[in-house]
Amino acid sequence: MKTALVGDIGGTNARFALWRDQRIEQIRVIPTADHARPELAILAYLSEVDQPLKALEAVCLACAGPVGGDLFRFTNNHWQLSREAFCRELGVKELLLINDFTAMALGMTRLHDGERITVCDGEPEPGRPRLVIGPGTGLGVAGLLPLSGGGWRALPGEGGHICLPVGSEREAAIWAHLHRSLGHVNAEAVLSGPGLLTLYRACCALDGQQVALDSPAAITKAALAGDAYAAAVLEQFCRWLGRIVGDNVLTLGARGGVYIVGGVVPRFAEMFLRSGFSEALREKGQMSRYFDRLPVWLVTAPYPGLEGAGVALQPLLEGA
């Protein structure tokens, strides 16, 4: 049985696992701040799970940011990686680098029962693309395209950096406030973990409110505990996510459905289901009916990025 290592590396955490017999095993989550380089984090992981480096057939790392060339700089952490130096230092024959949302999209093909919650009822249109999108340390966006012979192809992009849309006077005021400090206001400036805190602070500044909360977790906790102002900020977050999802559905033609992923939204899943997300999703004027019967799911699977990295790596292992 061949053994490979798969990694899903975001801005805050690196998740590693062994890939054996098309399954992930020995999962560990390592803060990226704990190690200077990804090679050191991998060596620490292998030591912890008692896996000899020489037994690895290949490595697949799903990385936040555009992948290409020898040198890769991670978008939201201090790591960088040279493919050539990585393979030389670790003695790895095969290194596959893929975008983290390529892995996330492929992970949707491995979901099990109970790992997604229905947000909007509907039926996937056969043969149509699906959208995979979600806030975490940043905002990830990818397409999932059905292949004529069966299977799926992930279509990665950098959709988190598109312009933040404005759909109301309130949103225009928030956007203007952010523009004064940020210049270009991209989607993940608001629709991410750090973005939730940015949104809260902007709302406080506009409303003359004291900034009483100092982290995304604190905002979510306060909203769930009944704090009306924190709940209103979270509602605005959900509505803006709806607008962005709707824009991407129209652009991709994603009548196959939408997967909401990432670590942020599942923390307030019940509030999200009651929010104005689905209303904002459909606010597209004459194209509003395009969203009739469009299925939207909130993904609660614990490690879809690792699963997707394994899916991406499997053809290479089978050809080795």
Side-chain angles (χ1 to χ4, degrees):
M1 183 186 302
K2 294 180 179 179
T3 299
L5 181 141
V6 292
D8 177 17
I9 304 173
T12 305
N13 291 310
R15 301 163 184 85
F16 295 114
L18 300 179
W19 178 256
R20 290 193 185 109
D21 196 24
Q22 300 194 42
R23 293 185 302 182
I24 52 174
E25 302 174 358
Q26 300 278 35
I27 300 163
R28 298 291 189 275
V29 180
I30 299 175
T32 55
D34 286 359
H35 297 278
R37 298 183 288 118
E39 292 91 339
L40 299 178
I42 288 171
L43 290 172
Y45 164 78
L46 292 173
S47 176
E48 183 176 341
V49 301
D50 196 26
Q51 172 67 33
L53 180 60
K54 62 182 180 180
L56 293 182
E57 295 280 345
V59 174
C60 177
L61 300 180
C63 308
V67 176
D70 177 69
L71 184 64
F72 178 83
R73 290 183 173 88
F74 291 78
T75 301
N76 290 318
N77 68 45
H78 63 286
W79 285 358
Q80 65 179 31
L81 182 152
S82 161
R83 296 172 191 256
E84 181 181 351
F86 180 97
C87 291
R88 183 173 62 249
E89 179 175 346
L90 299 185
V92 174
K93 295 180 181 178
E94 300 284 356
L95 170 62
L96 177 63
L97 289 186
I98 61 174
N99 178 266
D100 61 333
F101 257 68
T102 294
M104 185 66 77
L106 292 174
M108 298 305 98
T109 69
R110 301 262 304 184
L111 291 180
H112 305 291
D113 291 342
E115 292 186 337
R116 67 183 186 184
I117 300 168
T118 298
V119 179
C120 301
D121 286 318
E123 291 294 331
E125 284 192 13
R128 298 300 295 273
R130 300 188 180 192
L131 174 68
V132 184
I133 183 168
T137 303
L139 176 67
V141 184
L144 191 59
L145 309 179
L147 301 177
S148 58
W152 298 85
R153 173 173 294 168
L155 181 65
E158 293 299 323
H161 298 274
I162 65 172
C163 296
L164 183 69
V166 173
S168 68
E169 291 185 4
R170 173 66 169 177
E171 291 173 5
I174 297 170
W175 183 93
H177 177 85
L178 294 175
H179 184 263
R180 285 192 289 272
S181 59
L182 300 177
H184 172 62
V185 184
N186 61 24
E188 74 175 21
V190 166
L191 296 174
S192 60
L196 176 56
L197 182 58
T198 299
L199 175 61
Y200 169 75
R201 288 172 171 166
C203 290
C204 287
L206 290 171
D207 299 333
Q209 290 277 335
Q210 180 181 357
V211 178
L213 305 170
D214 60 0
S215 70
I219 297 166
T220 301
K221 182 178 179 180
L224 295 176
D227 183 307
Y229 196 78
V233 172
L234 212 54
E235 170 68 17
Q236 180 61 70
F237 182 95
C238 295
R239 284 186 168 271
W240 240 322
L241 181 58
R243 298 197 196 287
I244 286 288
V245 169
D247 286 352
N248 278 277
V249 167
L250 290 176
T251 301
L252 187 61
R255 292 286 306 160
V258 176
Y259 299 97
I260 306 294
V261 299
V264 174
V265 178
R267 295 173 183 171
F268 52 91
E270 291 187 9
M271 182 175 288
F272 178 71
L273 295 176
R274 299 193 304 268
S275 75
F277 166 85
S278 59
E279 180 183 356
L281 170 74
R282 301 167 180 276
E283 289 181 349
K284 301 299 180 189
Q286 63 182 359
M287 292 303 296
S288 295
R289 295 299 303 273
Y290 191 84
F291 298 87
D292 290 351
R293 302 299 297 160
L294 173 74
V296 179
W297 306 284
L298 174 61
V299 175
T300 59
Y303 301 108
L306 288 176
E307 294 273 9
V311 172
L313 186 59
Q314 189 59 34
L316 188 151
L317 291 175
E318 292 173 353

